[in-house]
Amino acid sequence: GCGATILADGRIAVAEAGESAVRLRIFSMTGALQRTIPVGPGRGFAIGGQPTAATLVVATRAQAEGWSPGDATAVLVEVDTGTVAPLGHGYFPLTSWRWSWGATVPAPGSIAARAFIDPSHHLALLDPATGTFRSVLPASYPAS
C-alpha cells in the first residue's frame, strides 16, 4: 500500500508498505526525492500527525488489511535525519483517520497531532520531548 501527507513545511511524505517492511520517502515541494527512511517491519501502515515540526508519526502493522488499532506499533520519525524512535505497540495515531472524516491535517505540536488510542483503548497524549504517553479519557462513550 501507499499513502501520503503534506508536512507543515510543504514537503510531501509518502509511506509505502512492501512484503515485509514500511518505508517513508520525503519529497520537496517540487517533487524531488530528498530522503528514504526505513520505518520498520510490517505490511501495512497508518500515517499520523506531526507531534513537532520536525517529526511525523507512522504506525506499522504486520497485516496489510483487516487490522485493529491494537495491532499497530507507533514510531516517531525525524524527517530531516531519518531517525526512527519507537513509541510502543498498541498505540494508534488518531489523526490517521483524518482522510475518512474529511478533516484537515492538524498543526504540528497540537493536541490533535499528539493524540493516540492506547493499548487500553483510552485517548492518550504523546509528550514528544520524552516519548511517553498520558492517558486522558476512555476512547469510547460509556455504555450507560
Side-chain angles (χ1 to χ4, degrees):
C2 183
T5 192
I6 306 296
L7 300 175
D9 62 9
R11 290 183 292 170
I12 304 159
V14 177
E16 299 170 324
E19 284 300 311
S20 62
V22 175
R23 68 182 179 171
L24 187 69
R25 296 193 305 160
I26 307 298
F27 294 88
S28 72
M29 289 183 274
T30 60
L33 178 63
Q34 294 181 328
R35 165 175 278 105
T36 299
I37 304 166
V39 174
R43 297 183 64 215
F45 64 87
I47 300 173
Q50 288 185 264
T52 68
T55 59
L56 178 67
V57 169
V58 177
T60 62
R61 62 183 189 255
Q63 300 303 315
E65 296 179 21
W67 62 293
S68 69
D71 297 333
T73 298
V75 298
L76 192 61
V77 180
E78 293 267 352
V79 294
D80 289 331
T81 65
T83 303
V84 177
L87 292 174
H89 182 75
Y91 287 90
F92 189 81
L94 216 55
T95 57
S96 67
W97 289 318
R98 68 179 170 262
W99 302 117
S100 62
W101 291 100
T104 58
V105 176
S110 67
I111 289 176
R114 298 183 298 114
F116 287 74
I117 299 298
D118 74 10
S120 300
H121 305 287
H122 291 89
L123 179 65
L125 295 179
L126 171 68
D127 178 345
T130 63
T132 60
F133 291 92
R134 179 175 54 91
S135 183
V136 179
L137 54 95
S140 59
Y141 292 104
S144 58

